[in-house]
Amino acid sequence: MSGSSPAARLQQLFEGRRLTPTQRRIAHSMVRRAGDAPFLSSVELAELAGVSQPSVTRFAVALGFDGYPALRKHLREVAPGGTAEDGGEDTYNEYQQAVLGEIENLRHLAELLADPGPVERAGKLLAASRPLLVLGLRAASSQARGFGYFAAKVHPDVRVLDEGGSMLHDRIDTARRAGAGALLCFALPRHPREVVDTLAYAREQGLTVVSVADSAFAPVAAHSDLLIPAAVGTGLAFDTACAPMLLGRVLLEAMCDDLPDAQARLEEFDARAAARSLFVE
């Protein structure tokens, strides 16, 4: 790491850590002031990030240090002060680092998909389930809605569960009585307890659970029959989920492969959309 910039070395220290939004704010403040970071007091860093001094202490502990003095000592050893230009062409700002981190996540996903077996198995399960349940709460709700939007164009009965509450179990019961055999879950950090509880209930009712999660060791793993991991980016204040989104589209493709009338349904939709002038060309 000696050839990288102070900002890059700091980014590597934070990469992959499960930090709260407040802790990420501190991390980003340090990256922006990478040259000064090893010499800032906890009070100065708190003021810079706009957080409390105890938050800085908790941040250091979250990184595995006994406290902020230990973190600062470590920074002085591995990320000494310098200008952002020290790294020359290899220097990237925090936004570039976030993009490069996502590119690396996509590379890992591509390597995982070298064995198409799990995705093909998932596609068969999703295609055969009538209705098909798609679960995603909080941060994962957009993933569930996106999958559900496209899946509804080729699957005859897709039911998206993107809001928590006591009705979740009722909707699972209703779908099960209607013949549902599988549930697709998008599970992203921070993992809501309600998602874990819902998957446990779904399996109790006889549903096969397919999960897209940020890690094979995510909390939903214990309640999934098939889990396919896709890492999230942690370089910004809030997680980025390019790899999980792409994996969702891959699962859609695999599901279409097992729906013999998928192409006909798409052509019918296109014809109706044209008749309604639904889209602007």
Side-chain angles (χ1 to χ4, degrees):
M1 296 201 308
S2 59
S4 60
S5 70
R9 291 194 290 271
L10 275 173
Q11 193 71 37
Q12 290 174 10
L13 176 63
F14 306 140
E15 187 66 32
R17 301 280 186 172
R18 292 259 55 88
L19 302 176
T20 67
T22 295
Q23 291 166 350
R24 291 186 185 182
R25 186 172 181 177
I26 298 170
H28 296 158
S29 296
M30 295 179 72
V31 170
R32 284 193 293 269
R33 293 281 297 277
D36 300 328
F39 308 99
L40 294 173
S41 69
S42 60
V43 173
E44 290 170 332
L45 179 55
E47 291 178 352
L48 180 64
V51 302
S52 67
Q53 191 275 337
S55 294
V56 172
T57 300
R58 289 192 291 270
F59 167 73
V61 172
L63 293 178
F65 298 94
D66 292 336
Y68 182 72
L71 169 59
R72 187 168 61 174
K73 180 177 182 294
H74 175 77
L75 294 179
R76 290 177 177 177
E77 294 172 351
V78 303
T83 64
E85 288 75 26
D86 286 344
E89 294 182 350
D90 295 328
T91 298
Y92 300 103
N93 63 40
E94 62 179 307
Y95 311 121
Q96 292 174 297
Q97 290 281 347
V99 173
L100 293 173
E102 281 289 51
I103 291 172
E104 188 62 25
N105 288 340
L106 291 172
R107 286 199 183 99
H108 287 314
L109 179 60
E111 293 172 0
L112 180 72
L113 294 176
D115 176 10
V119 166
E120 291 173 350
R121 179 186 167 202
K124 293 181 185 297
L125 290 169
L126 303 181
S129 183
R130 311 290 175 88
L132 169 62
L133 290 171
V134 183
L135 172 67
L137 302 183
R138 292 186 180 269
S141 62
S142 60
Q143 303 289 332
R145 286 195 297 270
F147 183 95
Y149 171 79
F150 290 110
K153 296 183 184 302
V154 295
H155 192 289
D157 191 353
V158 180
R159 305 183 186 184
V160 176
L161 308 177
D162 59 352
E163 294 184 0
S166 61
M167 293 292 291
L168 268 178
H169 286 195
D170 294 344
R171 295 182 68 185
I172 287 174
D173 291 340
T174 299
R176 189 72 179 109
R177 286 194 295 269
L183 179 151
L184 172 62
C185 173
F186 288 91
L188 302 178
R190 302 167 67 184
H191 295 276
R193 184 181 302 277
E194 192 172 16
V195 170
V196 177
D197 295 341
T198 299
L199 292 190
Y201 182 78
R203 293 184 80 197
E204 288 174 3
Q205 304 313 305
L207 290 173
T208 299
V209 173
V210 176
S211 291
V212 171
D214 59 300
S215 165
F217 304 101
V220 298
H223 304 288
S224 302
D225 297 284
L226 174 60
L227 186 150
I228 307 176
V232 299
T234 59
L236 300 175
F238 299 99
D239 286 340
T240 50
C242 295
M245 182 185 72
L246 181 55
L247 178 54
R249 298 298 186 268
V250 169
L251 289 173
L252 272 170
E253 186 76 9
M255 185 181 75
C256 287
D257 290 342
D258 277 277
L259 289 170
D261 57 347
Q263 187 59 40
R265 284 178 176 273
L266 284 174
E267 291 174 358
E268 179 183 1
F269 172 81
D270 285 342
R272 291 187 177 184
R276 296 164 55 195
S277 298
L278 190 59
F279 301 110
V280 177
E281 298 296 336

